[in-house]
Structure formats: structure tokens, C-alpha cells
Amino acid sequence: MTSVCRVRINPTEAKRASSDFCHRVNAELATRIRANFHHRQIVVEAARIRMAHYLMQLVRARQEQDGSQATILPSIARSDIASYLHLRVETVSRIVSTFRKNGWVRGPLHRLEVVDVHALASLTRGRVTT
């Protein structure tokens, strides 16, 4: 059970509280909850975008280094990726799993292969929401 707020009111006054008052309190609470939910969604999206940027940087560095179109990324520990991106290790794992499910990457994190570079590039530009 979560407490969003408390309203102290005398039981006698509560009986006289109008339905308009109750509707106003409910509307105010909904507004505050909605703002919090929206902020959480932005944070989640920002984490996905940061991860996509990171993977794109690795792909570009690998291509410049090898001169090829290789998309298998170097082995980097999840904790190092999380630290670099200011994310939790669990968040990195969850995002990589989502990218796998979308078909953008495949393989384990220590041998990650970027399958759909264009989808990750679109995500970095805010054009993909899947």
C-alpha cells in the first residue's frame, strides 16, 4: 500500500464535504501522479537512448579501426558500461534484452553483435519508440 498524501479533516466536516471538493482533490492527486509517471517515462527513454548512442559509438569506432562493416562489439563488462552511462547494471541488462527482443542486437553482452544499425541510429534521433 502506498500513501500519496494525507488530508486531515474533522469527521463532522467530512460529512459536509461537497462532492466538488472531493473531485478537486482527486484531480489534484491525478495531476501530481501523472507528472511523476511522465518523468519516469522520460528517464526510461533517456536510458535507452544513451545505450543506443553508446552502441553506435562502439560500432563506429570498430568500423574506423578495422575499416570493415564489422558489427561485433568488443567485450566490455556490464558494470563498466553502467558506470560509463550512469545507469544501474540491471538497467543495462534490461535495455540490451529489449534491443534483442526488437531484433536490433543479438548474442551475449560480451560478444554483442549489432544487427540493425539503422534502428539504433533512429533511436538516437528519437524516431523509434518500440
Side-chain angles (χ1 to χ4, degrees), residues 33-44:
I33 291 169
R34 193 175 318 124
N36 190 6
F37 177 76
H38 181 67
H39 174 73
R40 183 181 177 280
Q41 291 304 105
I42 289 171
V43 169
V44 168

Side-chain angles (χ1 to χ4, degrees), residues 1 7 15 17 31:
M1 188 76 165
V7 177
K15 291 177 184 174
T31 300

Side-chain angles (χ1 to χ4, degrees), residues 3-10 14 21 25-26 29:
S3 177
V4 176
C5 78
R6 292 177 190 241
V7 177
R8 293 181 187 249
I9 189 165
N10 181 316
F21 172 75
V25 169
N26 285 336
L29 291 175

Side-chain angles (χ1 to χ4, degrees), residues 8 14 60 76-77 94:
R8 293 181 187 249
R60 287 187 195 107
I76 301 172
R94 198 169 19 257

Side-chain angles (χ1 to χ4, degrees), residues 40-52 87 95:
R40 183 181 177 280
Q41 291 304 105
I42 289 171
V43 169
V44 168
E45 286 303 312
R48 290 178 65 211
I49 291 169
R50 278 187 275 170
M51 188 66 179
L87 298 172
I95 291 169

